[in-house]
Amino acid sequence: LACGLAETIKHGAIADVAYLQQTLGDTDAIFRRDEAALTRAVRRACEIKAAVVGSDERESGLRAILNFGHTFGHAIEAGMGYGAWYHGEAVGCGMLMAADLCRRLGRIGDGDVALLTQAVKAARRPVEPPKRGAARYLELMAVDKKASGGAIQYVLLKGMGAAETAKVDDATVTQTLIATGAA
């Protein structure tokens, strides 16, 4: 349930900030398995995912935004050994690392990072990545399935509720790895 909640947070961050805020407000009810709260969360998550997949059925671009937090998250999973963290734990923490990167690039503000952090904490997911060193994270991310020719494609917020993919220089990513405690 907590790992699924991380996915709903992701959907809100990339496509619908009002949904993210609603889900945050419903988190306690979701953990109590309140039917109305669960239905709201699942219904909107399915609508968002269906809209993204429906507009990019052949995975030619837009669909990649569903991987927000996954580049960092996959590096956590690979670096820790698969199974040490649940996927939803790694993605939740990865979203916060990606949010820090987006803030550094001037795409979102401190309040947006705080909102995502609050949501990930409320979902009972880790907010601090395992310390593996910047070089190791960069190495792991370079072999991620979204990397092309060794160039890492990050899913970045264009503001809360909108996302795109882009390349970011290693120096800026390293600043994020240091700031988030990963390095």
Side-chain angles (χ1 to χ4, degrees), residues 8 12 19 31 36 41 50 54 77 94 109 125 128 146 163 165-166 171-172 174-175:
T8 66
Y19 167 63
F31 279 114
E77 288 176 303
R125 302 298 78 203
E128 295 179 10
K146 291 172 297 309
T165 60
T172 304
T174 298
Q175 291 173 354

Side-chain angles (χ1 to χ4, degrees), residues 12-92:
I14 65 168
D16 185 346
V17 70
Y19 167 63
L20 171 62
Q21 293 166 329
Q22 175 72 53
T23 301
L24 175 59
D26 281 349
T27 300
D28 289 339
I30 289 169
F31 279 114
R32 286 192 315 270
R33 308 246 191 328
D34 176 83
E35 188 175 335
L38 284 165
T39 299
R40 273 192 302 276
V42 171
R43 177 180 291 128
R44 185 65 183 132
C46 290
E47 290 169 354
I48 291 168
K49 188 165 188 174
V52 171
V53 171
S55 60
D56 186 13
E57 292 179 21
R58 300 195 188 279
E59 296 188 55
S60 59
L62 177 66
R63 195 172 187 167
I65 69 170
L66 293 172
N67 290 314
F68 177 64
H70 284 66
T71 301
F72 289 106
H74 288 161
I76 290 170
E77 288 176 303
M80 294 288 293
Y82 290 98
W85 279 34
Y86 289 115
H87 181 68
E89 291 176 314
V91 169

Side-chain angles (χ1 to χ4, degrees), residues 60-127:
S60 59
L62 177 66
R63 195 172 187 167
I65 69 170
L66 293 172
N67 290 314
F68 177 64
H70 284 66
T71 301
F72 289 106
H74 288 161
I76 290 170
E77 288 176 303
M80 294 288 293
Y82 290 98
W85 279 34
Y86 289 115
H87 181 68
E89 291 176 314
V91 169
C93 192
M95 284 189 291
L96 300 182
M97 296 167 80
D100 180 89
L101 182 60
C102 292
R103 189 194 48 165
R104 281 177 196 289
L105 297 169
R107 292 166 164 265
I108 62 174
D110 291 341
D112 300 320
V113 175
L115 173 62
L116 275 173
T117 302
Q118 182 183 8
V120 171
K121 281 181 179 178
R124 305 174 188 171
R125 302 298 78 203
V127 296

